[in-house]
Amino acid sequence: MPGRFFILFFFTNLCIATFSFQENALAQNKKTIKVMIDPGHGGKDPGNEASKSSMKNEKHLNLEIAMKLGKYIEERIKDTKVIYTRTTDKFVGLDNIVDLANKNKVDVFISIHCNSNPNRAIYGTRTHIHSNSFASSKKLALLVENEFKTRAGRKSRGVMDARDRGYNLQVLQYTTMPGVLVECGFMSNPPEEKYLNSTHGQDLIASAIFRAFRQFVVEENDAEDRTTVYKVQIMASKKSVNLKQKQFQDLDIRVEEYKMPGSNYQYRYMVGREYDQNIALKLAKKIREQGFKDAFVVTITEEQGQYKTNKTSR
Ligand SMILES: [Zn+2]
């Protein structure tokens, strides 16, 4: 969750605006730390499918592990509040998951998934983050994988960011707080599928993630983090416009509204959340070709209040 936003516009005229948002709980030593737990898939979206009828589809495994994790956190770390994206077998949608996390201003986001691969010999855990340059997310991800490896006796396949993967994961890209997506094991590997379906296996997975989260919360308290991301501004308006309009929908990318009080065109519409300026510049070019001829790149520094490092914004 952003502490403060500084937005610098690189356009023909340089215009600087400062946004102020509430600091997050970890930074402020506030009483309650809010964590969002997202059991991946659900409802019409089963995720990876079970190999046989005695095993469960991914959406069910994710929900069971997520509920165990949430229970451990609420029972064993005082002053934490767990918010789930779903507690039943329903479809939520990626945009709604991002909105839930950002609007609830949660301090940490954890998405739970199970993996699959055509090669049934592949097994082990993997934790995804948006960028290795997001220090807090990386720290939490390394803690999770370390717990899997050292305490739960799992094979850790390590931490991956968008550059390693070659694609973005929307729930990590657009959520503005430290966040991880944990792949708890491969359903395509028969022994691991059995493990993922077992109470014992699920307990070990949930408690490993729980211990990583607890350590993260304890160690990150007081720290400060400032993350520079690049977005593409596609439109500015005097009045709020409908995000569901066709012109936006046709872009097939998440469009976000930013309010800039005091400015004549105070509603700004942005897409992307990139940590590499060149990727953002490429995105701006693509968006201009798609009809938003004035699209340009905006630099945003999100101050997480997690680390004391001083990355400069530009
Ligand atoms: Zn999944």
Side-chain angles (χ1 to χ4, degrees):
M1 168 161 61
R4 275 169 232 122
F5 270 42
F6 299 93
I7 302 194
L8 308 182
F9 293 87
F10 294 101
F11 203 35
T12 40
N13 300 318
L14 188 71
C15 143
I16 302 177
T18 306
F19 282 65
S20 222
F21 287 94
Q22 207 186 4
E23 296 267 343
N24 91 3
L26 296 180
Q28 285 189 333
N29 284 326
K30 267 196 314 207
K31 276 227 146 136
T32 307
I33 291 165
K34 285 195 269 184
V35 54
M36 178 158 283
I37 302 179
D38 168 43
H41 312 282
K44 66 181 181 184
D45 171 17
N48 293 312
E49 287 181 35
S51 68
K52 47 180 178 262
S53 61
S54 59
M55 299 285 168
K56 290 171 186 158
N57 285 339
E58 187 195 345
K59 63 177 183 176
H60 296 302
L61 299 176
N62 295 342
L63 182 58
E64 287 169 3
I65 295 166
M67 299 299 284
K68 282 178 196 281
L69 170 62
K71 196 161 169 272
Y72 289 150
I73 290 175
E74 282 194 320
E75 281 176 2
R76 299 180 200 179
I77 311 176
K78 73 175 175 67
D79 301 325
T80 43
K81 184 180 179 198
V82 176
I83 304 170
Y84 299 92
T85 53
R86 66 182 179 97
T87 54
T88 57
D89 181 20
K90 70 168 185 189
F91 179 76
V92 182
L94 300 179
D95 265 330
N96 289 332
I97 292 168
V98 172
D99 288 341
L100 275 172
N102 290 347
K103 283 177 186 163
N104 278 291
K105 298 186 188 303
V106 301
D107 299 291
V108 182
F109 176 83
I110 302 173
S111 188
I112 303 292
H113 284 255
C114 297
N115 227 329
S116 181
N117 194 287
N119 180 350
R120 287 159 64 89
I122 289 178
Y123 69 100
T125 63
R126 174 165 280 147
T127 300
H128 293 279
I129 55 177
H130 182 46
S131 167
N132 279 316
S133 65
F134 293 178
S136 300
S137 297
K138 188 171 185 185
K139 173 153 195 177
L140 178 57
L142 289 170
L143 287 169
V144 169
E145 286 301 315
N146 188 52
E147 282 292 335
F148 279 145
K149 193 165 62 183
T150 60
R151 298 274 301 274
R154 305 290 306 282
K155 179 184 172 63
S156 165
R157 307 186 72 86
V159 174
M160 260 193 171
D161 80 347
R163 202 184 295 258
D164 302 324
R165 289 188 296 274
Y167 58 89
N168 284 312
L169 291 167
Q170 188 169 340
V171 295
L172 297 180
Q173 183 179 12
Y174 291 99
T175 44
T176 57
M177 67 292 302
V180 294
L181 185 150
V182 184
E183 293 279 8
C184 300
F186 282 81
M187 294 166 62
S188 44
N189 176 267
E192 208 155 69
E193 185 183 27
K194 224 180 194 177
Y195 180 87
L196 290 165
N197 276 268
S198 70
T199 303
H200 174 68
Q202 292 182 359
D203 285 343
L204 287 177
I205 291 165
S207 54
I209 303 169
F210 158 74
R211 285 191 303 271
F213 172 77
R214 182 176 57 189
Q215 196 178 335
F216 178 77
V217 166
V218 168
E219 290 184 5
E220 295 307 295
N221 217 351
D222 272 344
E224 189 181 298
D225 194 12
R226 190 184 271 197
T227 306
T228 298
V229 295
Y230 304 93
K231 289 175 170 281
V232 176
Q233 181 174 320
I234 60 172
M235 186 194 277
S237 169
K238 290 182 179 176
K239 286 184 185 157
S240 180
V241 308
N242 183 5
L243 289 172
K244 299 254 180 316
Q245 64 179 289
K246 189 171 183 303
Q247 208 186 355
F248 286 173
Q249 299 263 310
D250 286 349
L251 289 175
D252 201 25
I253 187 170
R254 179 181 168 86
V255 180
E256 296 179 309
E257 182 185 84
Y258 283 75
K259 212 174 159 188
M260 207 159 95
S263 162
N264 205 7
Y265 289 85
Q266 61 174 319
Y267 293 94
R268 310 288 169 110
Y269 296 87
M270 316 257 190
V271 299
R273 184 170 178 270
E274 308 297 338
Y275 49 88
D276 181 325
Q277 195 176 18
N278 288 322
I279 297 174
L281 288 166
K282 269 183 210 155
L283 177 62
K285 183 168 178 276
K286 186 174 161 234
I287 297 288
R288 283 195 295 270
E289 286 163 6
Q290 284 177 290
F292 289 86
K293 296 202 165 37
D294 297 325
F296 60 97
V297 173
V298 175
T299 304
I300 297 182
T301 298
E302 299 169 351
E303 199 171 288
Q304 304 272 23
Q306 300 277 323
Y307 264 72
K308 296 226 157 136
T309 52
N310 250 340
K311 287 184 210 156
T312 51
S313 64
R314 43 166 303 185

